[in-house]
Amino acid sequence: MNNKNSIGFIGLGVMGFPMASNLLRAGKKLVVFDINAEQAARLPYQERVTIASSKEELAKQVDMVLLMLPNSPHVKEAVTGEGGLIESLPAGALLIDMSSISSTVTKEINKKLEEKNIDMLDAPVSGGQSGAMNGTLTFMVGGKKANYDKALELLQIMGEKIIHCGEVGSGQTVKIVNQLMSAVNLVSMSEGFTLGVKGGVDPEIMREVILNGSGRCWALEDRMPVILDRNFEPGFTIDLHTKDISLALEVGKELQVPLYATSLVHELFKTLQAKGEGGKDNSAVITLYEALAETEVIKRNKAVIQ
Ligand code: NAD
């Protein structure tokens, strides 16, 4: 059965579940698959949900598929592995991979899909779980402009900014650059704030000043408040951010671009993983500095900011 009104959706985790829910809320019909079958059963608007028991069963019912999987091996397995989508999607179908994976693997998958006349877009996102829930994600899209145009209406349901970055793989490249920069910023903020607090300054006052200074960054705006509250529940985990930093290092190696700060930040994140803290929010990287400096970046009672 090829139900042209339905869209395939594979990967209903932290991000995929709310994104699929938003598509259903907008009236779309979905054929879904996740190796954890419980996820599909929890989706809202079940009258518009068809739960497939395999990727093959899903692929036979749709001509557009969205993927939201953890990393390159998962996407490779889902598309070109045994019983993968490539075997059952019809010619002319469009596969949109919203996962954050390697740009090189993306290009390899695209090449294989092209041989079967199946189109592909890479469309990783930023904006986190809250962006996925509120439909305010930013999509970085790589692929032919005609495919971007075809996907736009769907992506606009899940996101606010949908930016065409260039050919296939360029969405993943932009995402990798963003993740590299956000990790480095997080570490620079952790280093600076540990020093400032050890030097006797109230961290809330320091934040207020630097939000108006050249040290301002997303980490300071968004992550410092949770650090001050000592809440390291994810959020975006150390494990996922380490995966993205590893992707940046892989690309750096392929393109022979030295990535000094990224390499150091990678080791810091790996230290947290070695301590068994990979499941914590990425802001927990500050605890490494705090332990060495024997200080804590925490709210003081009733700091007066004038
Ligand atoms: P997740 O681990 O919560 O979800 C992944 C889902 O895929 C799970 O439900 C899992 O059961 C399913 N799955 C795994 N392998 C599968 C397979 N072979 N076939 C079918 N289903 C399979 O991950 P997430 O947090 O939703 O992240 C998904 C992607 O989005 C990652 O690449 C991540 O880096 C990226 N991302 C995450 C965030 C975030 O804040 N969590 C933000 C931006 C981007």
Side-chain angles (χ1 to χ4, degrees):
M1 180 180 60
N2 187 345
N3 182 352
K4 290 215 186 305
N5 293 321
S6 289
I7 297 145
F9 202 116
I10 300 182
L12 300 165
V14 169
M15 297 294 285
F17 187 91
M19 291 162 84
S21 303
N22 281 337
L23 292 175
L24 290 163
R25 194 166 295 116
K28 299 291 177 193
K29 281 162 65 181
L30 299 184
V31 183
V32 299
F33 176 69
D34 192 297
I35 46 172
N36 176 2
E38 283 171 20
Q39 288 295 91
R42 287 179 44 236
L43 281 169
Y45 309 99
Q46 282 284 324
E47 66 280 8
R48 291 201 286 281
V49 178
T50 303
I51 302 177
S53 59
S54 67
K55 293 168 294 238
E56 194 181 8
E57 192 186 306
L58 176 146
K60 285 181 177 163
Q61 298 180 59
V62 298
D63 54 18
M64 198 184 278
V65 187
L66 301 165
L67 303 183
M68 198 49 170
L69 297 170
N71 201 357
S72 309
H74 308 86
V75 175
K76 239 173 151 170
E77 192 267 329
V79 183
T80 55
E82 204 185 319
L85 297 170
I86 196 165
E87 292 174 15
S88 309
L89 278 174
L94 176 60
L95 183 139
I96 307 171
D97 180 24
M98 308 183 294
S99 332
S100 307
I101 71 163
S102 150
S103 47
T104 307
V105 171
T106 298
K107 287 177 202 162
E108 284 165 11
I109 292 174
N110 179 56
K111 212 166 167 205
K112 290 189 178 158
L113 288 171
E114 269 179 349
E115 287 164 15
K116 298 253 178 173
N117 285 322
I118 298 168
D119 284 315
M120 178 177 187
L121 290 173
D122 50 307
V125 303
S126 73
Q129 189 184 17
S130 61
M133 291 166 91
N134 299 328
T136 55
L137 294 168
T138 295
F139 281 87
M140 294 146 254
V141 188
K144 289 184 198 130
K145 178 68 166 50
N147 290 329
Y148 166 86
D149 291 340
K150 200 166 157 188
L152 193 56
E153 184 244 332
L154 209 57
L155 301 183
Q156 278 172 333
I157 295 169
M158 298 178 283
E160 233 165 41
K161 283 206 169 76
I162 324 293
I163 301 167
H164 188 222
C165 302
E167 61 192 22
V168 167
S170 59
Q172 296 296 358
T173 301
V174 176
K175 173 70 182 173
I176 285 167
V177 171
N178 182 69
Q179 296 308 90
L180 169 171
M181 290 177 63
S182 77
V184 173
N185 283 334
L186 198 49
V187 168
S188 97
M189 176 186 78
S190 299
E191 198 163 295
F193 268 66
T194 305
L195 178 70
V197 169
K198 185 87 179 188
V201 183
D202 183 326
E204 285 193 283
I205 291 176
M206 201 149 49
R207 178 171 181 268
E208 185 70 17
V209 173
I210 300 171
L211 278 175
N212 294 288
S214 57
R216 187 179 71 231
C217 59
W218 177 85
L220 186 63
E221 287 166 17
D222 193 86
R223 295 291 85 190
M224 184 47 71
V226 304
I227 291 171
L228 294 172
D229 284 338
R230 311 309 292 173
N231 171 17
F232 298 117
E233 284 301 309
F236 189 57
T237 61
I238 292 281
D239 282 338
L240 274 179
H241 212 157
T242 309
K243 181 253 312 183
D244 291 341
I245 300 165
S246 306
L247 290 174
L249 292 174
E250 273 175 36
V251 177
K253 202 170 165 192
E254 279 163 28
L255 302 181
Q256 294 190 300
V257 176
L259 300 174
Y260 304 110
T262 312
S263 305
L264 172 63
V265 166
H266 191 226
E267 294 304 319
L268 290 169
F269 275 57
K270 274 167 58 191
T271 307
L272 280 164
Q273 287 184 311
K275 288 175 71 188
E277 294 177 5
K280 286 189 177 171
D281 189 73
N282 55 3
S283 56
V285 73
I286 199 168
T287 58
L288 292 178
Y289 284 98
E290 291 174 332
L292 293 170
E294 295 180 337
T295 194
E296 201 171 46
V297 178
I298 189 167
K299 251 183 203 161
R300 291 188 188 174
N301 285 335
K302 307 259 180 249
V304 180
I305 301 168
Q306 292 179 334

